[in-house]
Amino acid sequence: MSSAVISTTAAQGRFFVLDAETQADVCTGEASSVGGVCPAGTQRSALSSQPALDRARIIQATINNQQSKILASVAPASRLEVCPAPEMVSSGIAAIDALTGGLPRGCLTEIYGPASSGRTTLLLAALSAATHRGEVCAVVDAGDALDPQSAADAGVDLDRMLWVRCGTINSPRRHRGTEEKNHKNKNALRHPEHSLEQLLRAADLLLESGGFGLIALDLADLLPQIARRIPLTTWFRFRRAVEHMPTVLLAMERQSIAGSCSSLLIKLRVQEIDANQAAKRRQNAAHSLPRACRGGVSRGSTIQNNESAPEGQKKPTHAQLLTEIEITAEVVRSRMKRKPARSAEIIFTSQTAWTG
Amino acid sequence: MFAAIFIPNFSVAAVFRAEPELRMKAVAIFEVKPPPEKITAVSGSAECLGITPTMTKAQAELCSEVTLRPRSALQESVAHAVLLDCAQSFSPCVEDAAADTAILDLAGMESLFGAGPEIARAIHGRAGELGLDANVAVATNPDAAVIAARRFAGVTVIPSGKEAEQLGPLPVEVLFAGWQEEAADDLLSTLERWGIRNLRGLAALPEVALSERLGQQGLRLQQLARGAASRTLVPVEEPAVFEEAVELEYPVVLLEPLAFLLNRMLEQICARLASRSLATQELRLTLELEDFQSHNQQSEINNQKFQSAIGNCKSTISSRSNQFCRTLRLPLPMLDAKLFLKLLQLDLNAHPPGAPIVKIHLAAEPARLRLAQGGLFVPPTPEPEKLELTLARIASLVGQERVGSVEMLDTHRAEGFRMKRFVVGAAHETIRKKDFARDSKKERVTTAALRIFRPPLGAVVTLENGTPTRVICPKKKEVQGTVLWKAGPWRSSGDWWEREAWSRDEWDVALQSAEGVALYRLVHDLLNGVWFVEGTYD
């Protein structure tokens, strides 16, 4: 007769299935202590046999041994292994690296701030650093706002940068026009929601392709109310997709929209300018004059008025330059470190390419 | 050692290769041209049903189980090319003996493929992989190999010195394959009168007496019958392109059935290329369209030839012949039928042919296989095949010319760049390493980035002493206000000798916005006298 004994143990809630051959041995006098259920007809002559009892004890010992082994292999939640810290790579700006430890690979990093807050400057610096490491990068540009000249000036290896310019509907007729003519047609077709949809699909494809060192999603030109239409599940999907890849996923926007999906959240803003700071800047400009006068180009201070050139400095005759834009960066959230008691902030400056 | 590959029932084999699903069916091939359409070849199962090559098409149609196909010179030429590919994948010295026969010189191939039997089995297997059921024979001379391949099914190996013994039982008719019918009949009737019916009998005839009666021709036939004829092969050149073609019974209108056919053709081309250890860097798809003129007006693509500046696809439509051509250029040699199919599908979705398709022709330019070994310390890059597919998909989303890498032009004009195809290559690796070493020594300066408004935003600018003091941008409410600081002007001009001359003054201005101070680049077009905001510093 082919039947099986199914015994359950309350402690582990596991099922033990014994075949018909062992069943006869188990279902003896001590079978009830094992918790076995003996079908009718199995309580035969073995009930009184001593060797059968020994066998039952051996089986019981084996089961106990197996149970202890299984229990030993299951680690309690308190002893779960900590997820290894992500590899950090340089952002291209020493001050940001000092503040955040760099940009984490396999994580989503958000950079946000208002217009002129230095987001693109930080993005280009990160791209420059990544391309100089020999990595291939991708910029998915929702607003078609990237300036290749600025990228080249920032030191980005343009051959290693894939630029996806979202914002138009694909049509074969667009092949025939020139760049300028196309702008007029594209403007009619451009729609923020359409750009956003293209950006998300392109980002999905790039993450699926893999092999990129840095993928940047440029949402800086999108209004926050439109950018917030991206479902949180999309950000979770991006985070999950990039998790096991050596890719830095960088999102750049006006306001933080990815929520807890971002491992690093950096807020940027242009330094407030008041009368005292302006005076200080004028002093700095005076100190930095010799360096600035390279190549015979005169240089003013940060966002300096023509008329406010310091005394002793030769007043420029024809033009002033916009230099040294001071940017404040603040780490709002970081998974890599515990949140500091006070928000960590740094100030770094950027200067226009032609200031030397 | 020589090997001969023979495809029995070649017309049927060509159809089976083009339509593998017919292998299990009874198939009869009929000649289209003469008015009584006659059956020219039948498959084994059709023969069992009583269909013979002497029947007319109307007679064969009475048997409902038989599938009739017109004889296609195109399919046969492709099958012949495949036969040569199969032979050339084993030996560089291949003779194109007939449409259904190829001869290989196996000298020196033993170390690569093993002895005669192993080579013969390998050739038979390769032919099967390429969709041809072939007879393969290996012998010490080419003619003996050909005779054996024509008469013995499967794989035959004739040991050295055993040619006469092996070929002896064969009928004398095997010697006259490819002869003119009259000449062959004369000689066969003579041999019949002499009582010579097989090769053993012909081989046993005295040479002098035979030459007295049949001349040098007789001696040549006797040499063949003994398996002792010797000659050098006339090698055939390697093909410049690998082609597959299909003529459709009914025009295809939708892309889905077209993709099904393309898939089969691509798999066949890839198998052929793989058998030669080759890949391809260029695929040319030519679609012959039905009733081109009427569809031409609908699709508004009359007699045009356009090519994307950065795209990997070129489209050509010829009005003389109703053909629609697409060329798929790949950055690196690749050999992946699925990838090619996806790329062609994406391309045809973006550029539909515009008329029903009656004939498909696919050609692949052969290229050497890509040999690449990743370095231990080289950063990972996207796989070329995956990247190509990703780029094609993104291009179908945003447009072909809106995805790629940037190439800066030698000009100071605004937007002085152009998009080019994005290729991950290691061509300039050494140069870049040097650049990096040089750059790392320099002190890095953070460069302020400009974000461009495309197209530029027209602005109303209030001037005071020739300098902007207030900016109003009607299209973008954020970009307006009193100028807090300004720097400039920076005057530039160029291309004055051309129609697209430009001259402009650039100002960097700071405006107070709701979120704080924002920096913009203001441009005064001196030729048109208009102001616009070109971008913002960010």
Side-chain angles (χ1 to χ4, degrees):
Chain A
M1 180 180 158
S2 113
S3 60
V5 174
I6 301 171
S7 79
T8 57
T9 54
Q12 285 79 39
R14 296 174 191 280
F15 291 88
F16 297 103
V17 180
L18 307 175
D19 60 17
E21 195 179 345
T22 53
Q23 174 195 337
D25 301 331
V26 174
C27 295
T28 55
E30 287 191 6
S32 57
S33 67
V34 181
V37 179
C38 293
T42 54
Q43 296 177 356
R44 295 193 300 267
S45 59
L47 276 169
S48 59
S49 63
Q50 191 63 29
L53 284 171
D54 293 339
R55 280 189 201 172
R57 280 194 201 100
I58 291 165
I59 290 168
Q60 180 64 36
T62 313
I63 290 168
N64 289 339
N65 193 19
Q66 291 288 332
Q67 284 174 359
S68 59
K69 277 184 184 173
I70 291 165
L71 283 173
S73 65
V74 177
S78 58
R79 279 197 282 130
L80 283 177
E81 278 187 29
V82 179
C83 187
E87 185 192 345
M88 306 296 274
V89 292
S90 171
S91 66
I93 297 173
I96 293 282
D97 289 346
L99 179 70
T100 65
L103 302 176
R105 284 192 195 271
C107 297
L108 171 65
T109 301
E110 267 190 292
I111 302 167
Y112 76 98
S116 294
S117 61
R119 299 161 301 175
T120 315
T121 301
L122 178 53
L123 169 67
L124 293 186
L127 284 169
S128 171
T131 52
H132 276 114
R133 285 194 299 269
E135 294 170 5
V136 178
C137 304
V139 178
V140 190
D141 192 354
D144 190 15
L146 183 76
D147 178 28
Q149 186 60 55
S150 293
D153 292 336
V156 179
D157 182 353
L158 295 176
D159 286 340
R160 289 182 172 270
M161 187 188 78
L162 172 68
W163 183 21
V164 181
R165 306 167 68 183
C166 304
T168 54
I169 296 163
N170 187 22
S171 164
R173 291 182 199 178
R174 285 188 285 105
H175 288 287
R176 300 169 203 173
T178 58
E179 189 81 13
E180 286 81 8
K181 282 176 186 172
N182 277 337
H183 274 314
K184 292 173 186 172
N185 298 331
K186 284 169 195 172
N187 192 35
L189 297 168
R190 187 172 291 170
H191 195 275
E193 288 178 353
H194 182 65
S195 301
L196 187 61
E197 189 188 333
Q198 286 183 342
L199 176 133
L200 296 177
R201 290 179 67 182
D204 265 327
L205 289 167
L206 289 169
L207 286 170
E208 191 188 335
S209 172
F212 288 91
L214 189 150
I215 298 175
L217 312 179
D218 188 347
L219 297 155
D221 283 343
L222 289 183
L223 293 171
Q225 56 265 36
I226 292 170
R228 272 196 221 106
R229 288 181 193 168
I230 302 174
L232 204 57
T233 49
T234 304
W235 293 112
F236 273 111
R237 193 173 70 245
F238 285 169
R239 192 184 77 171
R240 188 80 185 89
V242 82
E243 206 169 33
H244 299 291
M245 292 162 67
T247 304
V248 176
L249 181 61
L250 205 64
M252 198 171 74
E253 62 250 338
R254 287 192 188 182
Q255 289 179 5
S256 170
I257 49 174
S260 61
C261 296
S262 57
S263 299
L264 178 61
L265 187 60
I266 302 172
K267 182 184 177 183
L268 297 176
R269 65 175 191 273
V270 72
Q271 186 74 333
E272 296 280 338
I273 295 169
D274 55 25
N276 294 334
Q277 284 181 338
K280 190 181 171 186
R281 242 173 251 119
R282 277 198 291 276
Q283 273 187 344
N284 289 342
H287 290 310
S288 60
L289 187 63
R291 185 170 71 91
C293 286
R294 279 180 298 191
V297 178
S298 63
R299 175 187 182 222
S301 64
T302 308
I303 324 171
Q304 189 182 356
N305 203 345
N306 281 351
E307 291 77 28
S308 60
E311 284 183 13
Q313 181 183 346
K314 191 179 178 183
K315 192 172 179 179
T317 54
H318 54 285
Q320 287 280 0
L321 285 174
L322 179 64
T323 62
E324 288 191 10
I325 303 161
E326 290 191 355
I327 298 157
T328 307
E330 179 190 350
V331 177
V332 178
R333 185 174 62 243
S334 174
R335 284 243 177 104
M336 275 56 75
K337 294 175 185 172
R338 288 196 179 276
K339 186 174 170 62
R342 253 181 64 192
S343 293
E345 279 189 6
I346 51 104
I347 296 174
F348 65 95
T349 60
S350 66
Q351 61 181 41
T352 43
W354 47 83
T355 54
Chain B
M1 293 283 277
F2 294 88
I5 313 173
F6 174 71
I7 311 296
N9 213 352
F10 186 65
S11 305
V12 178
V15 170
F16 281 169
R17 186 181 170 277
E19 299 176 68
E21 65 274 7
L22 292 180
R23 283 179 187 275
M24 305 305 290
K25 294 182 180 173
V27 176
I29 311 294
F30 63 93
E31 196 71 57
V32 183
K33 285 182 183 174
E37 295 172 330
K38 281 196 171 179
I39 302 293
T40 54
V42 291
S43 66
S45 40
E47 211 169 350
C48 294
L49 293 170
I51 309 294
T52 57
T54 51
M55 286 181 173
T56 61
K57 185 191 169 192
Q59 287 171 326
E61 276 174 342
L62 293 174
C63 182
S64 60
E65 292 171 20
V66 174
T67 308
L68 292 167
R69 286 285 180 271
R71 187 176 177 186
S72 169
L74 195 66
Q75 281 178 356
E76 287 184 16
S77 67
V78 171
H80 176 64
V82 173
L83 173 65
L84 292 178
D85 283 339
C86 175
Q88 284 176 330
S89 67
F90 285 91
S91 170
C93 186
V94 172
E95 183 180 287
D96 182 8
D100 53 3
T101 312
I103 310 171
L104 301 74
D105 186 354
L106 299 180
M109 298 292 136
E110 289 85 358
S111 56
L112 285 174
F113 300 105
E118 280 86 25
I119 296 179
R121 275 196 290 273
I123 294 171
H124 188 261
R126 180 72 55 82
E129 285 169 14
L130 294 173
L132 295 173
D133 292 328
N135 295 346
V136 181
V138 174
T140 49
N141 67 74
D143 295 309
V146 169
I147 291 167
R150 283 179 187 279
R151 299 306 293 191
F152 301 124
V155 176
T156 309
V157 179
I158 301 175
S160 179
K162 301 264 185 178
E163 291 86 0
E165 186 184 327
Q166 294 258 348
L167 301 178
L170 297 178
V172 286
E173 284 83 0
V174 296
L175 299 177
F176 300 97
W179 281 48
Q180 283 187 352
E181 205 169 327
E182 288 179 8
D185 285 346
D186 286 348
L187 277 171
L188 277 170
S189 60
T190 307
L191 293 172
E192 183 77 27
R193 272 188 275 115
W194 293 351
I196 305 296
R197 288 186 177 79
N198 57 23
L199 299 188
R200 187 176 293 121
L202 183 59
L205 291 175
E207 289 179 19
V208 178
L210 186 66
S211 70
E212 282 172 356
R213 286 162 179 77
L214 295 180
Q216 287 301 312
Q217 204 174 34
L219 284 177
R220 169 75 184 155
L221 286 173
Q222 192 182 41
Q223 290 284 318
L224 290 174
R226 288 174 178 170
S230 162
R231 66 183 177 89
T232 50
L233 295 185
V234 183
V236 68
E237 284 183 13
E238 292 193 2
V241 288
F242 288 74
E243 294 171 305
E244 290 284 337
V246 171
E247 280 174 316
L248 305 174
E249 280 187 277
Y250 304 101
V252 171
V253 182
L254 299 172
L255 287 179
E256 197 178 339
L258 178 67
F260 178 75
L261 293 166
L262 283 175
N263 182 37
R264 186 191 294 163
M265 295 168 79
L266 284 166
E267 279 179 354
Q268 286 169 343
I269 278 195
C270 286
R272 287 171 63 187
L273 287 165
S275 72
R276 305 283 301 276
S277 301
L278 291 171
T280 185
Q281 206 166 352
E282 185 177 311
L283 276 172
R284 284 195 299 274
L285 174 68
T286 308
L287 304 173
E288 203 164 289
L289 307 179
E290 187 191 56
D291 194 16
F292 181 76
Q293 291 302 324
S294 63
H295 290 277
N296 198 15
Q297 291 170 354
Q298 292 171 13
S299 60
E300 297 176 9
I301 42 177
N302 186 18
N303 194 17
Q304 284 182 2
K305 185 174 181 178
F306 53 87
Q307 183 176 4
S308 164
I310 59 158
N312 54 354
C313 288
K314 178 185 169 184
S315 172
T316 312
I317 297 172
S318 165
S319 63
R320 288 178 188 173
S321 59
N322 50 352
Q323 287 184 339
F324 176 82
C325 305
R326 298 292 303 164
T327 305
L328 189 70
R329 291 199 178 86
L330 304 163
L332 295 165
M334 294 177 190
L335 190 68
D336 188 344
K338 283 183 183 172
L339 171 75
F340 295 156
L341 179 67
K342 290 270 182 194
L343 292 175
L344 282 176
Q345 270 182 304
L346 287 168
D347 186 53
L348 288 171
N349 270 325
H351 309 92
I357 298 152
V358 292
K359 189 175 167 183
I360 308 166
H361 181 269
L362 192 64
E365 199 83 42
R368 286 190 177 277
L369 274 173
R370 191 174 75 249
L371 301 172
Q373 185 175 0
L376 279 174
F377 306 106
V378 176
T381 52
E383 287 176 38
E385 287 85 1
K386 269 191 179 178
L387 180 67
E388 198 60 26
L389 190 58
T390 304
L391 290 179
R393 281 178 172 159
I394 293 174
S396 70
L397 275 178
V398 298
Q400 189 78 55
E401 78 284 10
R402 294 180 65 81
V403 58
S405 58
V406 181
E407 183 184 3
M408 298 306 296
L409 302 175
D410 186 16
T411 176
H412 291 287
R413 174 193 280 273
E415 301 283 71
F417 70 92
R418 70 173 165 221
M419 298 294 286
K420 65 175 185 180
R421 194 175 185 186
F422 184 69
V423 179
V424 178
H428 306 294
E429 201 62 41
T430 324
I431 300 165
R432 288 202 179 106
K433 276 178 185 167
K434 284 179 188 169
D435 288 348
F436 179 56
R438 193 182 62 209
D439 288 352
S440 60
K441 286 175 190 169
K442 284 198 300 186
E443 187 193 347
R444 283 282 177 84
V445 179
T446 307
T447 311
L450 184 71
R451 295 180 68 80
I452 302 281
F453 295 136
R454 293 190 177 96
L457 303 171
V460 179
V461 178
T462 309
L463 298 174
E464 235 177 62
N465 298 328
T467 59
T469 54
R470 185 170 177 76
V471 177
I472 298 169
C473 192
K475 283 188 181 174
K476 207 168 188 175
K477 295 284 170 61
E478 307 156 24
V479 189
Q480 63 179 5
T482 310
V483 176
L484 299 177
W485 302 280
K486 54 187 170 286
W490 289 97
R491 181 163 294 177
S492 58
S493 62
D495 296 340
W496 49 266
W497 56 92
E498 287 183 1
R499 195 173 285 177
E500 291 90 23
W502 53 277
S503 177
R504 51 197 245 153
D505 278 353
E506 289 177 10
W507 291 84
D508 296 327
V509 296
L511 302 180
Q512 183 69 50
S513 68
E515 292 175 326
V517 176
L519 306 168
Y520 296 98
R521 180 184 282 180
L522 193 64
V523 175
H524 183 208
D525 188 340
L526 297 175
L527 296 180
N528 299 323
V530 293
W531 288 84
F532 54 87
V533 181
E534 193 177 52
T536 175
Y537 286 102
D538 186 31

